Amino acid sequence: MKKIFLSILTLMSAVTMSAQITADVTLRLESESHSVSELLLFAGPDLAASPERGGFFATQSNPEDINIYAVDPATNGKYASYGNGTLVNIPVEIITSKEAAAKQNYTIKFEVYEDAEVLKLKDLVTGEEKDIVNGGSYNFTVTEENAPSYQEGTYSVISNRFVINYDNTVFVTDVTTNEDGWASFAYTEDVRLASPMGLRIYKGSLDNSNPDAPVINLTQVTAIPAGAGVFVKGEPLTTYHFSATTAGALSNNDIVGCTADTDPAGISDAIYTLRNVGGVTALYHYEGTAAIPAGKAYLPIPVGSNPAPQRVRMVINETQGVENVVVEDVKAEKFVENGQIFIKRGEAVYNMQGQIVK
């Protein structure tokens, strides 16, 4: 990308109003009710080695409040201002208001400072790409049809939609999720998620202490070393792109990656693969003869004297990001059942909205 010249703009950081940074562009998100949130984007050769970040200001309590922020592809951090050398493939997320669905109409207005190179805003839902020029704007609507994460009456986070300077030539591989948002994955190089954001990547540790009911404990990771097998969870039927990185080995990971088509006849263990059967995604016993495709992964379980169980229970051993669940002095445990994520705390089971389901 050509050199971007920078102009001076005073920026209020998360901790002080006196800090100054150089800025190129402001994206001003406005709702139909005239609520406003702003994201500052800045770039230039000096920022290539020392990127700058400005704190994320959380959505407040008013139903009309909205938010816009950049997501760092390497860390998933959220920022109200964001800068690096080129601003290529930078996800932008918004948080909707709590207003009625009929009021989920938004405009992103562009303010561009002198000598700034033209950036581009890509809408992955519509496919439209808009030059970010001073005085320009982009109008869009959030609905249940174009944003699976949208729920009327909530502050819904809309990810996997907007990207600054989208360039799919820098991606090395990708994975597409199934109807429930699940997929297995492996690759020949170290990779990390690049675009869009929101994909959760899990390594898995097998607990076969009860051979009749084995469990795989899933733990989230950020980077995938070459050849490692992982399971991923994101939006349904969505393609996620990966870029090259440097990743350390995954400890306690029993998921096996396939970097080439793999003949199941050469595997002595029972094989379990992620499949959607009858509308339910789970780890099912694989008894076919077709090769496991390159880029996929499977869970092997040693064959015992008893017949192999048909399914393996998946448990997500993390509670980060779970909101509105009643806090008790009892350890919480996530698990996957019928393709959905639930939280078990004591004898109660909650869904991801914090509602008791059983």
Side-chain angles (χ1 to χ4, degrees), residues 178-180 274-282 284 311 337-339:
N178 69 4
E179 302 92 324
D180 295 326
L274 273 179
R275 287 181 289 146
N276 186 287
V277 177
V280 176
T281 296
Y284 292 97
R311 286 172 50 173
E337 185 173 283
N338 295 336

Side-chain angles (χ1 to χ4, degrees), residues 10 24 41 68 84 101 108 111 116 133-134 143 162 164 180 183 207 248 264 292 321 325 335 338 342:
T10 300
D24 293 314
L41 298 172
I68 184 171
N84 65 18
I108 300 177
E111 295 180 14
V133 295
N134 195 45
T143 67
F162 298 111
I164 300 298
D180 295 326
D207 180 357
I292 301 171
V325 177
F335 66 93
N338 295 336
F342 298 93

Side-chain angles (χ1 to χ4, degrees), residues 111-346:
E111 295 180 14
V112 180
Y113 301 94
E114 59 180 331
D115 297 326
E117 180 180 340
V118 174
L119 306 178
K120 294 180 181 294
L121 177 70
K122 176 81 170 185
D123 186 335
L124 299 177
V125 170
T126 66
E128 186 172 354
E129 190 168 55
K130 192 85 170 180
D131 285 348
I132 300 176
V133 295
N134 195 45
S137 63
Y138 183 71
N139 300 315
F140 66 97
T141 299
V142 174
T143 67
E144 292 182 353
E145 289 72 25
N146 65 29
S149 60
Y150 172 68
Q151 294 184 3
E152 186 173 11
T154 69
Y155 293 129
S156 299
V157 178
I158 307 303
S159 56
N160 308 334
R161 181 158 187 175
F162 298 111
V163 182
I164 300 298
N165 286 350
Y166 180 76
D167 182 4
N168 62 8
T169 65
V170 303
F171 305 138
V172 298
T173 189
D174 57 59
V175 65
T176 300
T177 56
N178 69 4
E179 302 92 324
D180 295 326
W182 284 97
S184 65
F185 177 80
Y187 192 59
T188 55
E189 302 176 24
D190 294 358
V191 294
R192 62 170 174 80
L193 180 65
S195 176
M197 291 291 102
L199 186 72
R200 297 184 293 279
I201 304 168
Y202 296 107
K203 66 178 183 178
S205 177
L206 174 66
D207 180 357
N208 200 27
S209 56
N210 181 358
D212 293 328
V215 173
I216 183 169
N217 295 296
L218 301 178
T219 302
Q220 193 166 349
V221 298
T222 57
I224 308 168
V230 294
F231 297 148
V232 300
K233 180 69 166 67
E235 297 289 350
L237 303 175
T238 299
T239 297
Y240 292 87
H241 302 279
F242 295 87
S243 59
T245 190
T246 300
L250 298 181
S251 61
N252 300 318
N253 184 37
D254 294 310
I255 304 172
V256 176
C258 298
T259 55
D261 291 352
T262 302
D263 186 352
I267 303 172
S268 59
D269 296 327
I271 300 170
Y272 291 83
T273 58
L274 273 179
R275 287 181 289 146
N276 186 287
V277 177
V280 176
T281 296
L283 269 176
Y284 292 97
H285 185 209
Y286 181 67
E287 298 175 323
T289 58
I292 301 171
K296 298 297 183 180
Y298 67 93
L299 174 69
I301 298 181
V303 177
S305 57
N306 297 326
Q310 288 302 303
R311 286 172 50 173
V312 174
R313 184 183 176 205
M314 297 189 295
V315 175
I316 300 175
N317 294 318
E318 297 168 325
T319 57
Q320 291 90 343
V322 179
E323 299 177 346
N324 303 323
V325 177
V326 177
V327 177
E328 303 170 351
D329 293 327
V330 180
K331 181 180 179 181
E333 176 184 80
K334 278 188 184 178
F335 66 93
V336 177
E337 185 173 283
N338 295 336
Q340 301 296 317
I341 299 176
F342 298 93
I343 307 99
K344 187 175 188 298
R345 190 184 293 273

Side-chain angles (χ1 to χ4, degrees), residues 1-4 42-49 51 83-88:
M1 177 176 284
K2 294 181 296 184
K3 180 178 180 182
I4 298 177
F42 45 99
D46 293 341
L47 297 175
N84 65 18
T86 59
L87 288 178
V88 173

